[in-house]
Amino acid sequence: MDQVTTVSTHRAVVQELLNRYLHERPIDPNVETQLIADLAQDHYQLVNVGWEGEHRVYGCVIHIDIKGDKIWIQHNMTENLVAEDLVALGVPKEQIVLGLHSPFKRRFTEFALN
């Protein structure tokens, strides 16, 4: 599979996974979870936006980038096992980078180093 096909496939898989997570999120009438997708630069995020009483809620829940032929998991504040879910959707482990871990720690995983 060439890099263009790989990136195209990764885009579809990442969007499918984040849409699945988006619809699984607890529904709070005052807090909205948004899917932010920068298709030109391949940055994807789930973000919470809203209010809990007088307290502002705003924050990135999940951040995934596609760099070259790799999917980089940059941030995960959920209980979802994002990397394992990507593997279940057909992404090879050597094409997933746990960017939320230091390069040193990545050496001890089954996933790509960079």
Side-chain angles (χ1 to χ4, degrees), residues 4-62:
V4 173
T5 304
T6 300
V7 170
S8 209
T9 302
H10 286 349
R11 284 180 182 137
V13 168
V14 167
Q15 290 177 61
E16 176 185 340
L17 183 63
L18 291 181
N19 269 300
R20 183 185 307 166
Y21 291 163
L22 177 67
H23 293 100
E24 292 175 355
R25 306 264 320 144
I27 298 173
D28 180 329
N30 300 313
V31 178
E32 177 184 3
T33 302
Q34 300 176 349
L35 171 57
I36 311 293
D38 175 355
L39 303 176
Q41 302 299 317
D42 285 317
H43 304 295
Y44 305 87
Q45 295 183 346
L46 286 183
V47 177
N48 285 335
V49 179
W51 292 91
E52 287 181 351
E54 293 298 314
H55 177 73
R56 178 70 171 155
V57 174
Y58 180 85
C60 177
V61 181
I62 296 176

Side-chain angles (χ1 to χ4, degrees), residues 88-109:
L89 289 170
V91 179
K93 289 182 179 184
E94 60 271 8
Q95 292 181 355
I96 300 170
V97 179
L98 302 177
L100 47 84
H101 294 309
S102 72
F104 175 78
K105 286 184 179 179
R106 285 183 225 150
R107 293 186 296 166
F108 303 107
T109 73

Side-chain angles (χ1 to χ4, degrees), residues 76-96:
N76 181 11
M77 296 302 292
T78 72
E79 294 180 5
N80 298 89
L81 301 174
V82 177
E84 295 300 331
D85 289 345
L86 289 168
V87 170
L89 289 170
V91 179
K93 289 182 179 184
E94 60 271 8
Q95 292 181 355
I96 300 170

